[in-house]
Amino acid sequence: MWETDGTGRFQHVSTRMADVLACPVQRLQHASFPALLAGRAEAPPEADQSADRVDRLRRGVAFHQHLIAVDTPAGRRWLRLSGKPFLDQKGRFAGFRGVGSDVTEARRAEAHIAYLATRDPMTDLSNRVMFHDVASEACAAAAQNAPQNAQPAPDTTVSLLYLDLDGFKTVNDSIGHAAGDALLGQVADRLRALLPADAQAFRLGGDEFAILQRGRDGAAAQALAEATIATLREPYLIDGVRAEIGVSVGIACAPADATEPEDLLRKADLALYSAKQGGKGRWRGFDRDLDVRVQRRHELDEAMRQALADGEMALHYQPLVSLQDGQVVGCEALLRWTRPGLGPVSPAELIPIAEGTGFILAIGRWALRRACAEALTWPVRLRVAVNISSVHFRRPDFFADVAAVLGETGLAADRLEIEITESIFLANTPHVLDNLRSLRALGVRIALDDFGTGYSSLSYLTQFPVDKIKIDRAFVRDLSSRPECLTVIEAIMVIARDLRIDVTVEGVETEQQAELLRLRRCNSAQGFLYSPARPPEEIPGLIESLPRRALPTERAVRAVA
Ligand code: C2E
Ligand code: CA
Ligand code: CA
């Protein structure tokens, strides 16, 4: 509680007030309030209500909850004051009475909270909030100084290095989360030690970090990225346990790539994604092609959903021909999508996008149903092969999807062949083996597609039951120029015969190739020599006419001999 007389001098000073102001009661008694205010050192702007307050005191006007900073012998104190004028018996202004509270602790806590709000407690680096502030400010400065259509001067540019640790999850899972936290701390220490004065590091969350470097050119950012990769790759010691991780870096620069912080981050993220795709432990700068690719993915993602619903997608069928008697033994269903007015989209482009979004499940179920229904119109000895993505095959309900389609269409299970690739065996998913076994028990055949391109481990063939392997067309293409291709095919044939697995060779384009493969006793072939994939209405006619064309000519037999 405080009180002044009509001239602004303190009356009845309490010991509490003396304590707060760290000044003996005697000195405060009769000291002037305006003088106390004048004793303030430079106060932060929000405390500059003091002039107003002095004025109110002078004029005898009430004030409410004013914050003032007072420099006392014990340091700066923050007070929140309210006061009202009071009158004497004759109705004349006699002074002020009011209350005040010491809010110094609360202000300190506030300031600390404000500080904490900008820090990442685990690494003591600036956090995402702070990143946004610094990046916004740097981008604004870069944008302002960027000359139109000219190379920006390096001293106004800012480079963003977007870092994502490689292999952090493995360490975290194997040596524990506390160790993972310690590792992040060590990463931050190394970054702090590495960074030049013009660069600042941030932890954006999880195992993602950012570095903003100002006033340097793109080459400096690349050099910094290389140094970062080299530094973070060195082994770590955490509680006596050695751990190794790496880092991938995406770089984007303002104003060259972006002038808004969100856009800068997005472009650095695209570059990071591309760096990760190219193998880990690398850096990549943003370039416009990345952006175009992402937009295209986005556009196709939306369009393909509509297209499947609108019946724009179709299956075409490519015959598989027996190398012994030239008969068509089945057809492979291949996805075709022609966008009205825009032309065809290759399945090689659209399937990976659909795998990324999960829409591949819808495509897979649709293709199964459509292929089984269309195969019903073919001679019964012909099989239909359907390509199924690993993403789909790894799901526990894949078998149920197939069983449902066979039930609905009434196609005999042994007329359906599912083509999968080796990538299916990479992630150790238990459902893969369950699906394989259940499908085979039902009579559905399994073909291992693109054999020879991926991991090509023949050991898969003993671990996982398949009925057929399809040798990739890369081997056939180089059959005459690279003798080892034939050696590989021969080796595959030995194992396949041993395991009683059929072999189809893909991409057969010439009669010589067909004859070489027939002599190696490959079972069937597929390729432009016989026919590309054709629409379903042409298939019955093709089955009729092909055997005459498919048998090797005299000339081919002589050439190979
Ligand atoms: P794939 O399963 O290896 O299919 C064979 C690809 O080789 C087809 O390309 C086919 O048109 C092409 N081809 C056939 N014979 C020859 C030949 O003699 N020479 C050459 N150079 N190429 C030949 P397409 O139709 O573009 O399909 C590409 C890939 O897309 C397929 O490779 C398959 O992995 C995937 N795909 C196609 N349809 C589907 C589908 O319905 N579902 C899934 N999950 N993937 C599909
Ligand atoms: Ca295939
Ligand atoms: Ca293939």
Side-chain angles (χ1 to χ4, degrees):
M1 305 253 257
W2 59 277
E3 187 179 325
T4 68
D5 63 12
T7 65
R9 286 170 197 283
F10 285 120
Q11 308 288 306
H12 320 297
V13 173
S14 67
T15 51
R16 171 76 185 120
M17 179 168 158
D19 279 353
V20 168
L21 296 175
C23 187
V25 171
Q26 305 86 289
R27 267 190 55 200
L28 280 174
Q29 191 76 10
H30 307 306
S32 106
F33 196 170
L36 176 81
L37 295 180
R40 272 170 333 117
E42 46 172 293
E46 72 263 32
D48 262 4
Q49 293 167 317
S50 53
D52 172 44
R53 197 163 31 251
V54 172
D55 187 49
R56 281 173 188 245
L57 282 173
R58 199 175 295 127
R59 289 188 291 122
V61 179
F63 57 91
H64 186 64
Q65 296 275 347
H66 280 196
L67 183 68
I68 66 165
V70 183
D71 283 324
T72 74
R76 174 167 296 184
R77 312 291 311 178
W78 288 89
L79 307 178
R80 200 175 278 290
L81 296 178
S82 302
K84 266 190 198 155
F86 66 93
L87 309 176
D88 65 11
Q89 276 126 348
K90 294 186 181 127
R92 286 172 305 194
F93 170 68
F96 264 91
R97 281 199 194 111
V99 291
S101 47
D102 177 4
V103 294
T104 310
E105 285 314 314
R107 279 211 41 108
R108 235 177 245 151
E110 257 171 56
H112 189 60
I113 290 167
Y115 171 80
L116 287 182
T118 67
R119 309 300 293 177
D120 165 49
M122 181 117 71
T123 59
D124 203 35
L125 292 175
S126 299
N127 65 9
R128 197 173 195 107
V129 174
M130 193 65 176
F131 169 79
H132 195 266
D133 286 357
V134 176
S136 303
E137 192 258 314
C139 281
Q144 199 164 37
N145 292 321
Q148 286 290 308
N149 304 323
Q151 200 69 9
D155 57 339
T156 64
T157 64
V158 54
S159 309
L160 165 60
L161 284 70
Y162 196 163
L163 281 56
D164 186 283
L165 302 183
D166 302 325
F168 175 73
K169 197 180 170 308
T170 315
V171 173
N172 214 27
D173 292 348
S174 59
I175 61 178
H177 290 255
D181 291 355
L183 181 59
L184 291 175
Q186 290 193 22
V187 166
D189 290 341
R190 290 188 191 184
L191 288 178
R192 268 187 288 265
L194 171 78
L195 291 191
D198 56 19
Q200 184 183 357
F202 304 82
R203 177 163 176 243
L204 300 184
D207 60 349
E208 290 179 11
F209 296 81
I211 298 173
L212 282 173
Q213 187 174 38
R214 302 180 68 166
R216 303 291 301 279
D217 59 6
Q222 292 166 11
L224 185 56
E226 303 224 326
T228 304
I229 291 167
T231 305
L232 298 189
R233 187 165 46 206
E234 293 296 314
Y236 298 76
L237 205 60
I238 295 153
D239 295 334
V241 179
R242 207 180 115 104
E244 279 189 51
I245 52 167
V247 64
S248 300
V249 184
I251 306 175
C253 300
D257 301 325
T259 52
E260 296 291 330
E262 291 81 12
D263 199 27
L264 189 67
L265 192 61
R266 191 180 68 82
K267 286 176 168 159
D269 188 27
L270 287 179
L272 173 63
Y273 180 76
S274 151
K276 289 234 174 216
Q277 297 262 297
K280 305 194 164 177
R282 295 168 194 230
W283 63 267
R284 191 64 69 78
F286 171 79
D287 73 60
R288 304 233 165 257
D289 291 351
L290 292 178
D291 213 20
V292 171
R293 242 177 288 157
V294 166
Q295 276 166 15
R296 167 98 175 146
R297 283 180 77 94
H298 201 76
E299 181 201 327
L300 286 184
D301 173 37
E302 291 198 345
M304 73 175 74
R305 292 166 195 267
Q306 200 59 48
L308 192 64
D310 293 353
E312 261 175 44
M313 291 200 184
L315 292 176
H316 284 194
Y317 297 90
Q318 184 176 38
L320 277 73
V321 173
S322 160
L323 279 168
Q324 308 313 319
D325 61 14
Q327 294 285 329
V328 176
V329 293
C331 291
E332 175 179 2
L334 292 162
L335 186 64
R336 293 294 176 262
W337 175 27
T338 303
R339 300 176 71 188
L342 293 168
V345 180
S346 158
E349 182 180 17
L350 101 91
I351 298 291
I353 298 173
E355 287 178 333
T357 62
F359 189 61
I360 192 67
L361 303 183
I363 294 180
R365 291 179 188 129
W366 168 84
L368 276 169
R369 182 162 294 117
R370 173 65 66 93
C372 289
E374 284 173 346
L376 281 176
T377 65
W378 309 341
V380 282
R381 61 186 169 79
L382 261 64
R383 294 201 173 96
V384 64
V386 180
N387 291 284
I388 292 296
S389 157
S390 302
V391 174
H392 196 174
F393 201 95
R394 285 200 199 106
R395 289 179 54 98
D397 52 2
F398 176 68
F399 171 71
D401 285 350
V402 177
V405 166
L406 289 174
E408 272 169 43
T409 58
L411 187 79
D414 63 0
R415 294 185 62 197
L416 175 63
E417 195 160 77
I418 303 283
E419 295 196 6
I420 55 177
T421 61
E422 288 166 285
S423 64
I424 238 169
F425 306 125
L426 281 186
N428 189 14
T429 329
H431 312 303
V432 167
L433 205 55
D434 293 346
N435 279 331
L436 275 176
R437 291 201 175 118
S438 312
L439 286 168
R440 294 188 84 218
L442 200 64
V444 175
R445 288 168 47 102
I446 306 291
L448 199 52
D449 204 356
D450 302 343
F451 195 81
T453 53
Y455 318 94
S456 308
S457 171
L458 288 166
S459 68
Y460 290 136
L461 299 179
T462 50
Q463 283 173 43
F464 299 97
V466 304
D467 301 279
K468 168 191 270 194
I469 50 186
K470 296 186 76 176
I471 299 180
D472 192 74
R473 66 172 174 272
F475 289 92
V476 180
R477 186 185 55 216
D478 301 341
L479 215 49
S480 50
S481 58
R482 290 170 50 208
E484 69 271 23
C485 287
L486 201 53
T487 316
V488 171
I489 291 176
E490 282 167 347
I492 293 174
M493 288 312 301
V494 170
I495 293 167
R497 263 195 297 275
D498 199 35
L499 295 173
R500 295 175 203 288
I501 295 175
D502 279 355
V503 174
T504 296
V505 196
E506 298 184 298
V508 176
E509 294 183 357
T510 69
E511 292 191 352
Q512 277 88 340
Q513 290 167 343
E515 181 57 11
L516 276 175
L517 297 165
R518 189 182 68 82
L519 291 175
R520 298 309 179 289
R521 296 208 281 155
C522 296
N523 307 86
S524 53
Q526 189 179 351
F528 295 165
L529 172 63
Y530 311 105
S531 170
R534 302 300 305 158
E537 56 275 16
E538 292 182 24
I539 296 305
L542 198 59
I543 294 168
E544 289 274 308
S545 66
L546 251 183
R548 273 168 278 136
R549 287 194 269 143
L551 286 173
T553 59
E554 282 293 312
R555 194 161 46 87
V557 173
R558 264 204 311 276
V560 170

